């Protein structure tokens, strides 16, 4: 059957453009996933809004519509990215109101307003009046007007906020603010990574397994063979007090950016990313069909002893497993999207989606290579340096593939565009388990 590229395991809008996940939280008995949304343009044109999905169980989702619009002077050019913070029976949403002034500006050092705005909601979609909490004048004077993407959390009895920023001399950094009431914020400190980037977007500070982490999406880190292969990176620092330690990328596939973490009611730390990146040299054919981009499958996080974070698809996804089959090394198997493939590996290994792509582990290197140009739409190859590969788990949806190696130590996410819903797979080196998957249930109220 011809593949219409509508995802069954990933959240995406029916029309228009999606980018960053925003306001992720569990509130009022449901998971809430907001996202950067341009409902009228699959190319992301026009002022950004927030769209909203909610779910009781991460499997049954409702799209309730567009819930925040650029409709006040302080956010008139876009309701940019931000977060959700639950206090008592209220969800507080913080975002960046983007303002582009008329006139002759570079929009880096002048002409851009970056306002931190707060709204509250009791049900996730009906919003209070907007209140501006911070403006450009409240940021350190060495900042350019690129300051955005608030993330708020509570620690040691106080509220904390991080904002991503670009300094006037083009260094990526994060600004920290503190507050006792969520409304009045006081500047605390600036943290730099010295990573060669010019801007850090979408910061997130969180604790996991006794460690403190700072996640950022840096722009402009020079590419290397096994790292920073995308135009913009996204990863996390292990923090030693105020000093960032090692930086590890969240995902080294073609399509991953601007992730955000949140806590599930059972204590799990979950991350969701945008399964896309801005300013990429490759394309998505859904643009011609009226929509573009999706979010990743939510992933559970756990910290390894050395500080590395493992990512595995939320366990709820396992409830979607249907028929199970062993695929022997060397055998070919016709499968329908969506499906999952898992294998324990002890030597070289290859998984081929015929006429689409291959995933190979050989000689300390894991690679994802598109073997068909039209299925990759400009995506070519990505590499990870891995001294051993003990296992692999692959989740393929109608137009994406997510690869988790070594229990989620290394992750690669990519969009793919096979012409048909049926594809032929073959594994060599080890046998694997194949599951056909049911889709999630997604209802669109708009
Ligand atoms: C990241 C980003 C954010 C910004 C938003 C605008 O992809 O550039 O920094 O708030 O997208 O849509």
């Amino acid at each position: 059957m011809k593949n219409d590229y509508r995802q069954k395991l990933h959240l995406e809008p029916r029309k228009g453009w999606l980018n960053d996940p925003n306001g992720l939280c569990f509130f009022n008995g449901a998971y809430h996933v907001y996202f950067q949304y341009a409902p009228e343009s699959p190319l992301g044109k026009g002022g950004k809004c927030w769209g909203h999905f909610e779910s009781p169980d991460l499997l049954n989702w409702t799209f309730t519509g567009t819930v925040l619009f650029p409709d006040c002077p302080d956010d008139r050019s876009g309701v940019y990215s931000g977060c959700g913070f639950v206090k008592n029976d209220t969800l507080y949403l913080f975002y960046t109101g983007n303002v582009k002034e008329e006139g002759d500006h570079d929009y880096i050092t002048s002409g851009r307003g970056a306002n931190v705005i707060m709204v509250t909601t009791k049900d996730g979609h009906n919003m209070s009046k907007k209140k501006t909490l911070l403006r450009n004048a409240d940021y350190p004077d060495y900042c350019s007007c690129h300051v955005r993407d608030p993330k708020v959390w509570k620690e040691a009895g106080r509220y904390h906020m991080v904002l991503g920023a670009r300094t006037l001399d083009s260094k990526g950094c994060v600004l920290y603010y503190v507050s006792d009431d969520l409304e009045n914020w006081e500047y605390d400190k600036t943290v730099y990574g010295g990573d060669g980037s010019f801007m850090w977007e979408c910061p997130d500070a969180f604790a996991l397994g006794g460690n403190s982490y700072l996640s950022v999406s840096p722009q402009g880190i020079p590419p290397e063979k096994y790292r920073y292969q995308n135009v913009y990176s996204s990863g996390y620092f292990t923090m030693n007090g105020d000093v960032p330690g090692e930086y590890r990328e969240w995902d080294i596939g073609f399509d991953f950016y601007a992730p955000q973490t949140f806590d599930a009611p059972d204590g799990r730390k979950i991350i969701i990313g945008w399964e896309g990146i801005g300013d990429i040299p490759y394309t998505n054919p859904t643009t011609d069909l009226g929509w573009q981009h999706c979010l990743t499958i939510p992933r559970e996080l756990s910290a390894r002893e050395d500080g590395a974070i493992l990512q595995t698809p939320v366990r709820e996804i396992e409830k979607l497993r249907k028929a199970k089959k062993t695929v022997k090394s060397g055998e070919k198997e016709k499968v329908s999207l969506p499906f999952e493939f898992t294998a324990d590996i002890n030597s070289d290994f290859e998984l081929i989606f015929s006429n689409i792509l291959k995933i190979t582990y050989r000689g300390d290197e894991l690679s994802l290579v598109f073997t068909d140009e039209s299925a990759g739409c400009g995506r070519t190859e990505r590499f990870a340096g891995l001294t051993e590969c003990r296992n692999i788990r692959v989740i393929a949806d109608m137009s994406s593939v997510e690869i988790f190696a070594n229990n989620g130590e290394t992750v690669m996410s990519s969009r793919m565009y096979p012409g048909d819903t049926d594809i032929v797979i073959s594994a060599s080196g080890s046998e694997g388990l194949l599951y056909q998957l049911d889709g999630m249930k997604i209802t669109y109220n708009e």
Side-chain angles (χ1 to χ4, degrees), residues 17 19-20 22 36-37 48 79-82 96 148-149 199-202 217 219 232 257-258 274 277-278:
W17 157 285
N19 56 297
D20 316 352
N22 292 155
Q36 285 288 283
Y37 188 28
K48 291 279 168 63
V79 176
Y80 273 15
S81 283
T96 296
R148 56 179 169 266
D149 310 334
M199 168 75 191
W200 279 359
E201 295 191 311
C202 300
S217 290
Q219 300 186 316
Y232 303 141
Y257 194 64
W274 171 24
I277 310 188

Side-chain angles (χ1 to χ4, degrees), residues 22-260:
N22 292 155
L24 304 182
C25 62
F26 186 87
F27 166 66
N28 221 357
Y31 293 95
H32 294 265
V33 171
Y34 300 86
F35 62 92
Q36 285 288 283
Y37 188 28
E40 302 310 326
S41 163
L43 294 172
K45 296 207 166 32
K48 291 279 168 63
C49 304
W50 278 27
H52 175 240
F53 286 100
E54 64 182 40
S55 168
D57 56 6
L58 296 173
L59 295 176
N60 293 280
W61 291 94
T62 305
F63 175 67
T64 73
T66 310
V67 294
L68 283 172
F69 297 85
D71 55 8
C72 77
D74 283 348
D75 67 12
R76 63 177 183 270
S77 312
V79 176
Y80 273 15
S81 283
C83 67
F85 182 81
V86 178
K87 189 179 157 202
N88 303 326
D89 63 347
T90 304
L91 171 58
Y92 293 74
L93 299 172
F94 300 84
Y95 68 88
T96 296
N98 184 46
V99 175
K100 285 181 101 174
E101 311 283 356
E102 301 263 305
D104 183 20
H105 294 293
D106 65 359
Y107 297 103
I108 301 170
T109 59
S110 76
R112 184 187 295 274
N115 304 308
V116 174
I117 301 177
M118 182 186 86
V119 293
T120 61
T121 174
K122 298 277 185 196
D123 60 7
H125 30 99
N126 289 299
M127 302 294 169
S128 71
K129 216 166 149 302
K130 298 172 175 177
K131 183 164 184 183
T132 301
L133 307 180
L134 294 171
R135 299 173 187 279
N136 293 31
D138 299 310
Y139 310 133
D141 55 12
Y142 45 81
C143 286
S144 70
C145 21
H146 281 290
V147 177
R148 56 179 169 266
D149 310 334
K151 179 86 194 302
V152 170
W153 74 102
K154 191 172 183 188
E155 191 181 320
R158 296 194 86 186
Y159 302 108
H160 301 259
M161 179 193 288
V162 277
L163 288 165
R166 168 178 183 157
T167 60
L168 284 170
D169 59 352
S170 291
K171 289 194 179 62
C173 62
V174 165
L175 311 178
Y176 285 69
Y177 285 76
V178 284
S179 168
D180 291 313
D181 60 4
L182 289 173
E183 292 198 24
N184 295 287
W185 293 90
E186 195 187 314
Y187 170 75
D188 179 18
K189 63 188 178 198
T190 301
V191 165
Y192 298 88
D195 55 359
S197 68
F198 60 82
M199 168 75 191
W200 279 359
E201 295 191 311
C202 300
D204 189 355
F206 60 92
L208 187 70
N211 302 324
S212 292
Y213 293 98
L214 175 65
S215 169
V216 285
S217 290
Q219 300 186 316
I221 307 185
E224 294 175 13
K225 177 157 189 212
Y226 291 133
R227 300 191 298 176
Y228 323 133
Q229 295 163 84
N230 289 331
V231 54
Y232 303 141
S233 170
S234 157
Y236 57 90
F237 293 97
T238 320
M239 296 300 285
N240 311 307
D242 292 349
V243 183
E246 191 177 344
Y247 175 77
R248 296 175 168 101
E249 285 185 288
W250 285 114
D251 188 306
I252 46 177
F254 295 94
D255 297 279
F256 186 90
Y257 194 64
Q260 192 175 86

Side-chain angles (χ1 to χ4, degrees), residues 328-370:
K328 297 240 164 63
S329 176
E331 272 178 13
K332 282 195 165 65
E333 193 68 43
K334 190 170 160 196
V335 293
S336 306
L337 295 165
F339 68 85
E340 178 178 344
F341 179 91
T342 62
D344 288 326
I345 296 170
N346 37 40
S347 60
D348 292 354
F349 174 78
E350 188 154 71
L351 177 66
I352 296 179
F353 295 8
S354 70
N355 298 325
I356 302 169
L357 55 82
K358 58 182 183 189
I359 299 159
T360 311
Y361 180 68
R362 188 179 302 130
D364 292 353
E365 187 177 274
L366 179 71
S367 63
L368 164 63
V369 175
F370 275 90

